[in-house]
Amino acid sequence: MAGSGILEDSIRSKEDLDQALQTLASMSEDREQCRAAGELVEMATFRSVVSQQRLLELGGLQILLAGMKKHLQDKELQILFCRILQHLSAQAAHELYEQDAWSVLKALLEAHGAEATVHQAVWQIFELIALMDEEARQFVIQDGAGQLAVTSLKTFRGPGDAGVQQACLAALQALLESPSAELCQAVAKNGGIAAIIGALADHRDNAQMQYWGQIVLAGL
């Protein structure tokens, strides 16, 4: 009986995920409908690797990235979509690169230039993609990812911005998995070293900040 219940729950979850993806794929103008569908997908992909695989099989990456482009100015939906991509990044880093997720993430940084929560979400996804896939890492280095991470790091210097600063530092460390003079010079030229030292000074008692900052400085 217990096994039957688990199977029924699995089938129901699969059907719910499929329906939610269909809703997102329809590009509905109903924002609340999109939000509800996104929340269901986020919950499913957070809980289950099987759901992550199912989403990838159904073309879920393309659907999510298209939704992000459509709702580019909607902060709440973007953070929700970013959480889903973060759940997928560890096993689908190369697929995200192939689907040009980086272009969408760059557009988000530009569209929400003053929103720390959006920048934090973007750099958390980026870190995993760059860390897990060398081809993606090399491409984004050439496309100025290091400079953009430094720009975010310099932008958010408030007492409540430790989270986004840590995300920026972790992203820089992921890039330094493929160290090059070009990357280090680009980061330094954009004020990266001073920004990192500033972040460390701002958060002297934050162990995670000190860890990431010192690791990145050593890499540079």
Side-chain angles (χ1 to χ4, degrees):
M1 291 295 290
S4 176
I6 293 171
L7 179 60
E8 288 176 3
D9 287 344
S10 176
I11 293 172
R12 186 161 52 249
S13 297
K14 176 175 172 290
E15 291 174 347
D16 289 344
L17 178 61
D18 293 1
Q19 182 59 53
L21 286 174
Q22 289 175 20
T23 298
L24 293 175
S26 72
M27 290 294 182
S28 171
E29 296 294 337
D30 186 334
R31 180 190 180 281
E32 288 307 305
Q33 191 177 46
C34 291
R35 182 188 58 77
E39 287 179 347
L40 193 151
V41 173
E42 195 273 330
M43 185 180 298
T45 52
F46 172 72
R47 290 179 172 177
S48 168
V49 173
V50 173
S51 293
Q52 295 174 14
Q53 293 170 342
R54 177 67 178 170
L55 182 147
L56 295 173
E57 291 169 0
L58 294 173
L61 284 184
Q62 298 95 314
I63 293 170
L64 289 168
L65 292 171
M68 293 173 80
K69 293 176 185 177
K70 179 179 176 61
H71 300 284
L72 188 62
Q73 301 297 330
D74 192 316
K75 172 186 169 182
E76 182 184 3
L77 286 180
Q78 292 300 336
I79 292 173
L80 177 58
F81 289 145
C82 281
R83 287 205 302 267
I84 300 169
L85 292 185
Q86 192 174 357
H87 300 330
L88 300 170
S89 294
Q91 69 164 308
H94 192 70
E95 289 85 346
L96 281 164
Y97 163 63
E98 289 184 326
Q99 294 296 327
D100 201 21
W102 172 233
S103 291
V104 178
L105 296 178
K106 283 197 300 181
L108 276 185
L109 293 175
E110 182 175 355
H112 300 272
E115 295 290 348
T117 50
V118 174
H119 280 242
Q120 181 174 343
V122 166
W123 290 118
Q124 286 171 336
I125 298 167
F126 174 88
E127 176 204 356
L128 292 171
I129 297 174
L131 194 62
M132 301 295 293
D133 191 84
E134 184 177 358
E135 185 178 350
R137 184 164 63 246
Q138 295 290 351
F139 176 81
V140 297
I141 287 173
Q142 294 297 318
D143 199 42
Q147 296 94 309
L148 287 176
V150 170
T151 298
S152 293
L153 187 61
K154 293 191 296 185
T155 299
F156 302 103
R157 288 290 303 273
D161 290 333
V164 64
Q165 289 183 322
Q166 286 178 36
C168 293
L169 291 173
L172 286 169
Q173 174 56 27
L175 293 177
L176 287 166
E177 290 292 314
S178 296
S180 69
E182 179 185 7
L183 170 62
C184 294
Q185 289 168 5
V187 169
K189 185 176 180 179
N190 202 40
I193 293 175
I196 295 167
I197 293 172
L200 292 175
D202 290 343
H203 303 280
R204 296 178 187 277
D205 297 326
N206 186 314
Q208 284 295 312
M209 183 74 72
Q210 298 299 316
Y211 169 81
W212 284 113
Q214 291 173 26
I215 288 280
V216 174
L217 285 176
L220 291 171

